Amino acid sequence: MSDYILRATAADGNARIFIADAKETVEKARSLHNTTPVATAALGRTLIAAGIMGSMLKGKDDIVTLQIKGDGPLGGIVVTSDAAANVRGYVHNPFADIPEANRGKLDVAKAIGKGTLSVAMDIGLKEPYTGQIELVSGEIAEDLAYYYAKSQQTPSSVGLGVLINTDCSVKKAGGFIVQLMPEATDEFIGKLEDNILKMPYITDLLDMEMTPYNILDIILKDCKYQIVDKIPMQYKCNCSRERVERALISLGINELKDILEKEGEAKLFCNFCNTEYKFGSNEIKSLINKKS
Ligand code: ZN
């Protein structure tokens, strides 16, 4: 697995920068869900964002979940990441397709439509922290920047991109998030804004075989910075028969008896990795016995 997130700080710790190369991760999602190019781009961008946001989490059991609901043909997107940037996700309608916008650019905004972006952070508290915004563009990067400004009061610059081959596989995928703390100087902010304004799309840079290290140099041109961490990123579902069994048990005895009577078996499907878990009547009976 070659995907990773590079993490750096600049301006005496008043800026933090995350840059991801996520081609393998997005390609895994595409082959798993058999998504159309526009669905691959939308899901891919959200996975990259989640991976970076996951890498910002402190506890190893912390989870961030991004949910996009839209009235476009994709229907919606659900993506999660843990602190180790193990990401997984799905789009409600992976086969959605719409005509390409200008110059062959995939029209992610149209495929998503109008709607909301919500972010839930499960950091071991009783209730997960959640924030929600109305989508401002549907291109996901701008929406996330708006989320950070509005819900977190953190000025952020976000770039996310997925480049697709003619055979529909993923050619390049990556993204960056730059965040400023209140003490960042105007001089630094000016330089940073100028650099980001002048920089090409991240997918174009990756397509020139640039690495996150090279891209960091471009974003922080003429600024001092320190690389803090390099975090491997991958598509990984953590579902298992044991977890599904625990979910079934948590339904309670009455619900299990009901399933046994009406269905005779329980079929549970994991949307993240397309795995079906089947529990026959004997297994359900033994779950009921375990519980009582
Ligand atoms: Zn799964």
Side-chain angles (χ1 to χ4, degrees):
M1 188 61 64
S2 57
D3 289 353
Y4 63 91
I5 298 164
L6 199 62
R7 179 184 182 145
T9 63
D12 300 320
N14 287 308
R16 53 181 192 168
I17 303 96
F18 302 81
I19 302 174
D21 183 349
K23 186 205 147 185
E24 307 284 325
T25 302
V26 179
E27 173 57 19
K28 174 85 186 277
R30 185 204 64 83
S31 63
L32 203 54
H33 298 298
N34 201 16
T35 40
T36 56
V38 75
T40 306
L43 177 59
R45 289 182 196 177
T46 318
L47 283 167
I48 297 161
I52 293 176
M53 293 168 82
S55 76
M56 296 177 188
L57 297 168
K58 300 214 166 59
K60 73 172 184 33
D61 296 323
D62 295 355
I63 299 278
V64 60
T65 303
L66 268 65
Q67 197 163 2
I68 294 172
K69 284 183 185 159
D71 63 4
L74 287 179
I77 300 170
V78 180
V79 162
T80 79
S81 175
D82 63 13
N86 293 309
V87 299
R88 55 184 192 151
Y90 61 90
V91 38
H92 288 287
N93 180 10
F95 311 124
D97 213 357
I98 55 163
E100 287 181 4
N102 303 332
R103 292 176 292 116
K105 194 180 171 294
L106 295 163
D107 202 339
V108 170
K110 202 174 255 176
I112 288 176
K114 290 195 178 71
T116 55
L117 162 72
S118 38
V119 176
M121 270 188 265
D122 190 347
I123 49 172
L125 305 171
K126 243 186 193 161
E127 292 284 323
Y129 159 84
T130 55
Q132 192 183 63
I133 54 140
E134 297 283 324
L135 294 173
V136 287
S137 84
E139 294 284 349
I140 302 170
E142 289 92 333
D143 302 300
L144 198 59
Y146 181 69
Y147 160 79
Y148 272 120
K150 184 113 177 163
S151 287
Q152 307 271 310
Q153 288 78 48
T154 308
S156 307
S157 178
V158 183
L160 303 164
V162 176
L163 203 61
I164 310 277
N165 284 311
T166 43
D167 68 355
C168 296
S169 63
V170 176
K171 190 177 186 194
K172 298 287 170 188
F176 68 84
I177 297 181
V178 180
Q179 299 196 311
L180 291 171
M181 306 303 139
E183 282 85 46
T185 62
D186 289 343
E187 192 200 348
F188 174 79
I189 295 169
K191 251 190 231 172
L192 185 70
E193 283 178 344
D194 196 43
N195 291 346
I196 291 174
L197 202 68
K198 283 180 187 153
M199 97 184 243
Y201 287 124
I202 186 154
T203 37
D204 290 339
L205 295 174
L206 291 167
D207 204 26
M208 290 177 226
E209 301 307 328
M210 285 198 183
T211 66
Y213 290 90
N214 305 135
I215 297 167
L216 187 63
D217 266 338
I218 294 174
I219 294 178
L220 294 174
K221 185 172 172 275
D222 300 326
C223 305
K224 264 192 226 154
Y225 66 84
Q226 293 86 40
I227 292 170
V228 181
D229 210 354
K230 182 184 171 184
I231 304 134
M233 176 177 173
Q234 60 184 326
Y235 193 103
K236 193 175 170 193
C237 190
N238 62 354
C239 72
S240 65
R241 202 168 172 83
E242 290 69 37
R243 273 173 186 264
V244 175
E245 191 177 298
R246 263 181 279 158
L248 271 177
I249 291 171
S250 71
L251 291 175
I253 289 180
N254 290 338
E255 187 72 20
L256 286 174
K257 280 182 176 164
D258 205 44
I259 291 170
L260 193 60
E261 220 169 86
K262 285 184 185 149
E263 319 279 339
E265 62 176 5
K267 278 186 193 166
L268 287 99
F269 190 75
C270 176
N271 285 315
F272 292 104
C273 65
N274 294 336
T275 305
E276 188 178 67
Y277 295 93
K278 226 190 252 184
F279 291 77
S281 57
N282 285 337
E283 285 172 287
I284 300 175
K285 276 177 201 160
S286 84
L287 289 182
I288 293 171
N289 289 337
K290 244 190 236 176
K291 183 88 178 172
S292 44

Coordinates of all heavy atoms in Angstrom, one line a residue, residues 30 33-43 74 91 93-98 106 111 164 168:
R30 N -13.5 2.1 -5.7 CA -14.1 1.9 -7.0 C -14.3 0.5 -7.4 O -15.4 0.1 -7.9 CB -13.2 2.6 -8.1 CG -13.9 2.6 -9.5 CD -12.9 2.7 -10.6 NE -12.0 1.5 -10.7 CZ -12.3 0.4 -11.3 NH1 -13.5 0.3 -11.9 NH2 -11.5 -0.6 -11.3
H33 N -17.1 -1.1 -5.2 CA -18.5 -0.7 -5.4 C -18.9 -0.5 -6.9 O -20.0 -0.2 -7.2 CB -18.7 0.7 -4.7 CG -18.5 0.6 -3.2 ND1 -19.3 -0.1 -2.4 CD2 -17.6 1.3 -2.4 CE1 -18.9 0.0 -1.1 NE2 -17.9 0.9 -1.1
N34 N -17.9 -0.8 -7.7 CA -18.1 -0.7 -9.2 C -18.8 0.6 -9.6 O -19.7 0.7 -10.3 CB -19.0 -1.9 -9.6 CG -18.9 -2.2 -11.0 OD1 -18.0 -1.8 -11.7 ND2 -19.9 -2.9 -11.6
T35 N -18.2 1.7 -9.1 CA -18.8 3.0 -9.3 C -18.5 3.6 -10.7 O -17.5 3.3 -11.3 CB -18.2 4.0 -8.3 OG1 -16.8 3.7 -8.1 CG2 -18.8 3.9 -6.9
T36 N -19.4 4.4 -11.2 CA -19.2 5.2 -12.4 C -18.2 6.2 -12.1 O -17.9 6.6 -11.0 CB -20.5 5.9 -12.8 OG1 -21.0 6.7 -11.8 CG2 -21.6 4.9 -13.2
P37 N -17.6 6.8 -13.2 CA -16.5 7.8 -12.9 C -16.9 8.9 -12.0 O -16.2 9.3 -11.1 CB -16.2 8.3 -14.3 CG -16.4 7.1 -15.2 CD -17.6 6.4 -14.6
V38 N -18.1 9.5 -12.2 CA -18.5 10.6 -11.4 C -18.8 10.2 -9.9 O -18.5 10.9 -9.0 CB -19.8 11.4 -12.0 CG1 -21.1 10.6 -11.8 CG2 -19.9 12.8 -11.4
A39 N -19.3 8.9 -9.8 CA -19.5 8.4 -8.4 C -18.1 8.1 -7.8 O -17.9 8.3 -6.6 CB -20.3 7.1 -8.4
T40 N -17.2 7.6 -8.5 CA -15.8 7.4 -8.0 C -15.2 8.7 -7.6 O -14.6 8.8 -6.5 CB -14.9 6.8 -9.1 OG1 -15.5 5.7 -9.7 CG2 -13.5 6.4 -8.6
A41 N -15.4 9.8 -8.4 CA -14.8 11.1 -8.0 C -15.4 11.6 -6.7 O -14.7 12.1 -5.8 CB -15.0 12.1 -9.1
A42 N -16.7 11.5 -6.6 CA -17.4 12.0 -5.4 C -17.1 11.2 -4.2 O -16.7 11.8 -3.1 CB -19.0 12.0 -5.6
L43 N -17.1 9.9 -4.3 CA -16.8 9.0 -3.1 C -15.3 9.2 -2.8 O -15.0 9.3 -1.6 CB -17.1 7.6 -3.5 CG -16.8 6.5 -2.4 CD1 -17.5 6.8 -1.1 CD2 -17.1 5.1 -3.0
L74 N -26.7 10.8 -7.3 CA -25.8 10.0 -6.4 C -26.6 9.6 -5.1 O -26.3 8.7 -4.4 CB -24.5 10.7 -6.0 CG -23.4 10.8 -7.1 CD1 -22.2 11.5 -6.5 CD2 -23.0 9.4 -7.6
V91 N -21.5 5.1 -1.7 CA -22.4 6.1 -2.2 C -23.7 5.4 -2.4 O -23.7 4.2 -2.8 CB -21.8 6.7 -3.5 CG1 -21.0 5.7 -4.3 CG2 -22.8 7.4 -4.3
N93 N -26.1 5.6 -4.7 CA -26.3 5.1 -6.0 C -25.0 5.1 -6.8 O -24.7 6.0 -7.5 CB -27.4 5.9 -6.7 CG -27.6 5.4 -8.1 OD1 -27.1 4.3 -8.5 ND2 -28.3 6.1 -8.9
P94 N -24.2 3.9 -6.7 CA -22.9 3.9 -7.3 C -22.9 3.9 -8.9 O -21.9 4.2 -9.5 CB -22.3 2.6 -6.8 CG -23.5 1.8 -6.4 CD -24.5 2.7 -6.0
F95 N -24.1 3.7 -9.4 CA -24.2 3.6 -10.9 C -24.7 4.9 -11.5 O -25.0 5.0 -12.7 CB -25.1 2.4 -11.3 CG -24.7 1.1 -10.6 CD1 -25.6 0.4 -9.9 CD2 -23.4 0.7 -10.7 CE1 -25.3 -0.8 -9.2 CE2 -23.0 -0.5 -10.0 CZ -24.0 -1.2 -9.3
A96 N -24.9 5.9 -10.7 CA -25.4 7.2 -11.2 C -24.4 7.8 -12.2 O -23.2 7.7 -12.1 CB -25.5 8.2 -10.0
D97 N -25.0 8.3 -13.3 CA -24.1 8.9 -14.3 C -24.8 10.1 -14.8 O -26.0 10.2 -14.9 CB -24.0 7.9 -15.4 CG -22.6 8.0 -16.1 OD1 -21.8 8.9 -15.6 OD2 -22.3 7.2 -16.9
I98 N -24.0 11.1 -15.1 CA -24.5 12.3 -15.7 C -23.5 12.8 -16.7 O -22.3 12.5 -16.7 CB -24.8 13.5 -14.7 CG1 -23.5 13.7 -13.8 CG2 -25.9 13.1 -13.8 CD1 -23.6 15.0 -13.1
L106 N -15.5 15.9 -14.5 CA -16.6 15.2 -14.0 C -17.4 16.2 -13.1 O -16.9 16.9 -12.3 CB -16.1 14.0 -13.1 CG -15.4 12.9 -13.9 CD1 -14.6 12.0 -13.0 CD2 -16.4 12.1 -14.7
A111 N -23.9 15.8 -9.7 CA -24.3 14.5 -9.3 C -24.7 14.4 -7.8 O -25.5 13.6 -7.4 CB -23.1 13.6 -9.5
I164 N -9.5 10.1 -13.4 CA -10.0 8.8 -13.9 C -9.3 8.4 -15.2 O -9.3 9.3 -16.1 CB -11.5 8.8 -14.0 CG1 -12.2 9.3 -12.7 CG2 -12.0 7.4 -14.4 CD1 -12.4 8.4 -11.6
C168 N -11.9 3.8 -16.8 CA -12.7 4.1 -15.6 C -12.0 3.8 -14.3 O -12.5 4.0 -13.2 CB -14.1 3.4 -15.6 SG -15.1 4.0 -16.9

